[in-house]
Amino acid sequence: MSENDNLQEADGKKETVTEDNTTTKETTLNVEETSKDLAPTKKVNPSEPEHKPSATKTSEINEDKEPTDKEEPSDDKHVDEIEASNAEDAEDESNAERHDVEEKDYHAMSMDQLVNELNRLLKHHKIQTISKHVNQIKSEFNAKFEELLDEKKEEFINDGGNEIDFYYTNDTKKLFNQLYKEYRQNIKSYYREREQTLKQNLENRLAIIEEIKGLLNVEENINTTYKHFKELQEKWRNSGPIPRDKYNNAWNTYHHHVERFYDFLHLNNDLRDLDFKHNYEQKLKIIERAEELAADDNINRAFRELQVLHKMWKEELGPVAKEHREEIWERFSNATKSIHDKRQAYYKDLDKAYEKNLEKKEEIIAQIQTIAEDKINSHGAWQKKIKEIEALREAFFNAGKVPLKVNEATWAKFKDAVRSFNRGKNQFYKNLKKSQYENLQKKKELIDIAEANKDSDDFEVVTPLMKKIQNDWKKIGHVPRRDSDKIWKQFKKACNHYFDRIHAKKKEEHQHLYDAFDKKVKLLEELKSLKLEDDVKSNIKILRDKIAEWKSIGHVPQNKRYIDGKFYKAIDETFDTLKMDKSKLEMVKFESKLENLATDDNDTRKLDNEQNFIRKKISEIKSEINQLENNLQFFSNVESDNPLVKDVHKNIANHKKELDTWKVKLSKVRDMY
């Protein structure tokens, strides 16, 4: 059997000591809480003999004198700290569990996330451990719902609703109310049941004390009395938590009468000595374990297990023989002091680290406050600042713990800074929404104008009006997203209806132009599928006839005039397929082009442009010829049959031939006027 197993036997309770020497028990305290200065409790030192059995008379033993619980506090602060910690847990053995509930940033959560977190707490934690968290969640949820309520109310009023008729809720709010109601019912039930349980446990313990007192007056075999006494001790151990304000007095009374029973037991030394021996052996094991814990580097684990050892020493084991009492208590006290001193040093170093963390967090809070004070007037700038705040929030949570005494104040300061930023952000977007609703009203007014005039026949008056409201629409800013598509479709439909009527009217008035366009489309298709014969003259005549037919069809709508370009491009491509002299072909194509340029009788701009182009071309060719003739002067001493000289003469001849062609073109253009 291991040493830890012996400790469990001595305790007689369902406690476990794990492989890493950590005792699993609900009496452990939170690291931050136990770093506080704890007030010493008034107690009876379990190591000190209160009675001297050898000098005690039977009449003295039978005195029913209760302890006053007014002993002076011990000077051993390291023991006082353990006693105070155990006393704090006396009322509710699950008390320390609340410190294991993870602290989260509820301010950063959405309403849906807050509801999910509340539901998780209710399902996975004891109801008495989550009050602080539930209250924080409730505060954050209500703040966010109030903001949403203000937005919905403003929308309701902007849509023409009366403020006194406004009411809004949603599924998230209903679920939150349901979960919070469940919490309230459960916490009330818990405290009601706990109060009854604590009261009943106290009555049970007092009854046990009375039974122990009564053992001194029972006339029966001492072995039977001793067995009864051990049964009462076991009942005491299993009696459960009692009100904390009654804990010390109840224990001191119990301890007093246990001591009296042991004094009474000196009449049977064998039983007393056997018990003293058992207690001595178990307390030695407790001491040895405490001395092991003094060497443990995990300070918090050592302290938690030390709490359990002290509780076992105090509540589970009786006295030892007089000659060992001072010795074993001194040894246990020294081991406790060693752990206490290490713990104090640990928290001293921890406090220094926490102070540095506090400095970091104060700097982060200051940065958030600075950003919150900035005057931001655009959506893009706000989005940039939101990202900066998110980065600072992350840095705040990663900065580590701060001293416990300023923890809540620092957290409150941080939340106030973030809330200040959020208020500015919300106000900006609230004003933006207000502006969007104003824009919505302006666009609705334009829709009313468009719909009122969409069937008007007074085109001269209404057309400028419709164009104006279209331009005004573009100048008006954004509207709420949910209305954007709807009103745009409504406005577009009214405007399109009006302009479609105009187009239909114009098409009716200019139907001959559309008919001409249809004819030209047909003629163009015929030209593309035309198969020419081998007779060039005949082919030229066919193409000229096509051009004449095209011109005879007349004008087409302004937006359809592109078809003329397509036709003459097709004509040129067809001419290029003819097998004839290049210069002649060029002239035929030019004459065809002139016929196209002369289509508009009252518009000579195209002819003017063509004439200017030809003159420029003639000038360029003349310049080329002059340059080539000048180059020949460099070959004055060179034979005329030199390849370079021959090439220059050839170029001059080609340019002069091209010049003659352009002069003919110029003459033909002049004849068109």
Side-chain angles (χ1 to χ4, degrees):
M1 181 177 291
S2 68
E3 183 177 19
N4 287 336
D5 291 335
N6 288 334
L7 287 179
Q8 293 177 52
E9 281 193 351
D11 186 11
K13 280 194 174 182
K14 293 182 180 179
E15 297 173 347
T16 58
V17 181
T18 61
E19 290 181 359
D20 62 354
N21 293 329
T22 302
T23 303
T24 305
K25 189 175 180 69
E26 292 183 332
T27 55
T28 56
L29 292 179
N30 178 273
V31 173
E32 292 184 353
E33 284 202 357
T34 53
S35 66
K36 298 179 182 177
D37 290 329
L38 299 173
T41 57
K42 296 179 180 179
K43 65 185 188 312
V44 178
N45 192 326
S47 70
E48 296 297 330
E50 293 187 11
H51 306 284
K52 298 178 180 179
S54 60
T56 305
K57 299 179 181 179
T58 306
S59 60
E60 292 176 337
I61 294 172
N62 289 334
E63 285 182 357
D64 196 14
K65 183 179 180 182
E66 300 290 347
T68 60
D69 195 26
K70 292 184 180 180
E71 293 83 352
E72 290 299 320
S74 169
D75 291 333
D76 297 329
K77 291 184 179 180
H78 54 286
V79 177
D80 294 338
E81 183 176 356
I82 296 291
E83 295 296 326
S85 299
N86 284 335
E88 185 176 353
D89 293 337
E91 185 173 88
D92 184 358
E93 292 181 355
S94 65
N95 185 49
E97 251 187 54
R98 66 174 174 270
H99 304 299
D100 294 329
V101 180
E102 182 183 358
E103 188 83 22
K104 295 187 177 182
D105 179 15
Y106 300 123
H107 182 65
M109 294 183 181
S110 66
M111 287 191 293
D112 287 331
Q113 289 171 329
L114 289 170
V115 169
N116 290 336
E117 180 62 17
L118 177 57
N119 189 38
R120 187 189 69 82
L121 290 174
L122 290 173
K123 286 184 176 180
H124 300 292
H125 293 276
K126 292 185 177 181
I127 197 70
Q128 68 271 25
T129 67
I130 61 174
S131 295
K132 174 185 174 184
H133 302 270
V134 171
N135 289 334
Q136 289 180 357
I137 290 173
K138 180 174 180 287
S139 175
E140 293 294 345
F141 185 91
N142 286 342
K144 286 178 169 59
F145 188 74
E146 283 296 327
E147 291 180 8
L148 177 63
L149 210 59
D150 289 342
E151 293 178 8
K152 296 297 182 181
K153 185 176 182 179
E154 186 174 352
E155 291 177 10
F156 178 77
I157 294 173
N158 288 333
D159 288 339
N162 192 322
E163 183 174 356
I164 61 174
D165 297 325
F166 175 74
Y167 172 78
Y168 175 80
T169 188
N170 59 23
D171 292 340
T172 304
K173 174 63 172 172
K174 292 176 182 176
L175 181 56
F176 177 82
N177 289 345
Q178 178 183 336
L179 291 173
Y180 187 73
K181 182 179 179 182
E182 178 184 340
Y183 163 75
R184 293 294 300 166
Q185 291 173 342
N186 290 346
I187 196 69
K188 286 181 180 178
S189 176
Y190 164 76
Y191 282 118
R192 184 168 57 247
E193 292 174 5
R194 190 186 70 164
E195 183 179 0
Q196 295 173 354
T197 300
L198 294 176
K199 182 179 179 181
Q200 183 60 51
N201 290 344
L202 178 60
E203 292 176 359
N204 293 341
R205 285 181 181 261
L206 294 178
I208 291 170
I209 292 173
E210 290 299 318
E211 286 193 62
I212 293 174
K213 287 165 59 177
L215 291 177
L216 303 184
N217 300 317
V218 174
E219 294 182 2
E220 61 183 0
N221 181 280
I222 193 65
N223 291 326
T224 302
T225 303
Y226 179 73
K227 182 180 179 182
H228 189 187
F229 169 72
K230 300 304 287 184
E231 291 172 352
L232 290 174
Q233 280 190 308
E234 184 65 21
K235 283 179 65 177
W236 177 272
R237 295 186 190 106
N238 297 320
S239 295
I242 62 175
R244 68 179 63 187
D245 59 332
K246 307 293 184 182
Y247 174 76
N248 281 326
N249 189 58
W251 184 86
N252 286 334
T253 304
Y254 168 74
H255 179 76
H256 168 75
H257 290 290
V258 168
E259 289 285 349
R260 290 185 66 209
F261 180 80
Y262 276 108
D263 288 343
F264 167 75
L265 202 61
H266 79 279
L267 298 175
N268 189 319
N269 288 331
D270 290 339
L271 287 176
R272 186 191 66 177
D273 292 344
L274 185 63
D275 221 15
F276 280 177
K277 182 176 182 295
H278 169 76
N279 294 338
Y280 178 71
E281 290 173 352
Q282 297 306 318
K283 286 189 174 182
L284 283 179
K285 293 182 184 298
I286 289 175
I287 292 170
E288 289 169 1
R289 182 58 188 152
E291 290 171 342
E292 288 177 8
L293 292 175
D296 193 340
D297 292 332
N298 191 323
I299 304 299
N300 291 319
R301 180 174 60 195
F303 181 78
R304 287 196 298 269
E305 189 169 342
L306 185 64
Q307 282 181 263
V308 178
L309 295 178
H310 270 265
K311 192 169 184 180
M312 291 167 61
W313 183 289
K314 177 177 180 179
E315 296 190 18
E316 313 300 335
L317 298 173
V320 301
K322 179 180 179 182
E323 64 268 20
H324 298 303
R325 291 182 182 177
E326 185 174 350
E327 170 199 347
I328 64 170
W329 174 250
E330 186 69 21
R331 188 175 166 189
F332 188 38
S333 178
N334 288 338
T336 299
K337 186 175 188 302
S338 177
I339 295 173
H340 174 270
D341 291 346
K342 284 178 67 176
R343 190 163 181 268
Q344 293 302 312
Y346 167 77
Y347 280 114
K348 193 172 183 181
D349 292 339
L350 205 58
D351 283 343
K352 291 179 182 178
Y354 286 176
E355 288 292 343
K356 291 183 180 179
N357 295 342
L358 177 61
E359 292 177 7
K360 293 179 186 177
K361 290 195 171 184
E362 289 286 357
E363 291 175 3
I364 292 170
I365 291 171
Q367 292 180 55
I368 294 175
Q369 289 172 335
T370 300
I371 293 175
E373 292 170 359
D374 288 346
K375 302 300 180 184
I376 308 171
N377 297 313
S378 71
H379 169 71
W382 271 109
Q383 292 302 307
K384 182 179 178 181
K385 294 299 181 184
I386 288 171
K387 290 180 180 179
E388 291 179 17
I389 293 295
E390 286 301 320
L392 289 172
R393 285 169 60 86
E394 187 70 21
F396 181 87
F397 292 120
N398 291 334
K401 293 183 178 180
V402 299
L404 185 63
K405 61 185 178 182
V406 296
N407 183 50
E408 291 190 8
T410 305
W411 175 241
K413 190 175 180 181
F414 168 73
K415 289 203 294 185
D416 286 343
V418 174
R419 280 200 177 100
S420 178
F421 172 80
N422 286 338
R423 278 194 295 270
K425 178 194 68 176
N426 293 339
Q427 187 60 45
F428 170 80
Y429 283 104
K430 187 175 181 180
N431 292 338
L432 187 62
K433 284 187 176 181
K434 183 178 180 181
S435 173
Q436 289 179 347
Y437 278 111
E438 292 174 354
N439 294 338
L440 178 62
Q441 292 305 121
K442 293 177 182 178
K443 289 192 172 183
K444 283 183 175 180
E445 291 173 2
L446 296 183
I447 290 172
D448 292 340
I449 295 173
E451 290 184 337
N453 291 277
K454 67 180 182 179
D455 293 315
S456 174
D457 292 327
D458 191 354
F459 297 122
E460 291 186 6
V461 175
V462 175
T463 299
L465 174 63
M466 296 296 277
K467 290 181 178 180
K468 180 180 181 304
I469 65 174
Q470 285 182 321
N471 191 49
D472 290 344
W473 182 280
K474 296 176 183 178
K475 294 178 182 178
I476 298 173
H478 294 289
V479 301
R481 183 176 298 178
R482 66 175 187 177
D483 300 302
S484 181
D485 288 344
K486 178 183 175 182
I487 63 171
W488 165 243
K489 289 177 181 178
Q490 192 176 356
F491 181 70
K492 183 180 177 181
K493 182 179 179 182
C495 291
N496 286 347
H497 177 81
Y498 175 77
F499 286 107
D500 286 346
R501 290 180 59 246
I502 290 182
H503 295 153
K505 183 72 175 176
K506 286 184 177 180
K507 186 174 181 180
E508 183 180 345
E509 293 174 354
H510 301 91
Q511 187 60 44
H512 64 287
L513 298 178
Y514 288 96
D515 292 340
F517 175 75
D518 292 338
K519 291 179 181 179
K520 285 191 173 185
V521 169
K522 183 178 180 181
L523 183 58
L524 179 59
E525 293 299 323
E526 291 176 359
L527 177 62
K528 289 181 178 179
S529 60
L530 180 65
K531 294 185 183 294
L532 298 177
E533 300 177 358
D534 293 336
D535 188 348
V536 174
K537 290 184 179 181
S538 174
N539 290 336
I540 292 174
K541 183 177 183 305
I542 291 172
L543 293 177
R544 288 186 181 279
D545 289 343
K546 293 291 183 183
I547 293 172
E549 184 181 356
W550 184 273
K551 292 179 66 176
S552 68
I553 292 175
H555 296 292
V556 297
Q558 183 73 27
N559 62 340
K560 304 291 185 181
R561 289 188 178 183
Y562 63 85
I563 199 169
D564 288 330
K566 286 187 174 185
F567 175 77
Y568 284 102
K569 181 180 178 182
I571 286 288
D572 286 346
E573 290 174 350
T574 306
F575 271 122
D576 288 339
T577 64
L578 300 179
K579 297 178 180 179
M580 60 184 299
D581 181 73
K582 185 176 180 181
S583 60
K584 290 183 180 179
L585 177 61
E586 182 69 22
M587 194 57 64
V588 171
K589 288 170 64 177
F590 180 71
E591 289 172 355
S592 172
K593 181 178 181 181
L594 286 181
E595 291 181 7
N596 180 36
L597 294 177
T599 300
D600 295 328
D601 297 333
N602 298 323
D603 188 0
T604 62
R605 286 177 298 177
K606 292 181 179 180
L607 287 173
D608 292 341
N609 291 338
E610 186 67 21
Q611 183 175 217
N612 291 334
F613 173 76
I614 294 172
R615 283 176 175 174
K616 182 180 178 182
K617 198 69 178 175
I618 290 173
S619 177
E620 290 175 354
I621 295 173
K622 285 181 178 180
S623 178
E624 287 285 339
I625 293 172
N626 289 335
Q627 183 64 44
L628 290 170
E629 289 176 343
N630 289 335
N631 290 341
L632 284 176
Q633 295 178 9
F634 294 103
F635 301 101
S636 57
N637 298 324
V638 180
E639 296 295 332
S640 60
D641 60 349
N642 184 284
L644 291 175
V645 174
K646 291 174 68 176
D647 188 55
V648 171
H649 281 292
K650 183 178 179 181
N651 284 337
I652 291 174
N654 289 335
H655 277 82
K656 286 183 177 180
K657 186 177 179 181
E658 185 180 2
L659 179 63
D660 291 340
T661 301
W662 283 108
K663 285 181 178 180
V664 174
K665 287 182 178 181
L666 180 61
S667 176
K668 288 184 177 293
V669 170
R670 287 173 177 171
D671 291 342
M672 296 295 294
Y673 286 94

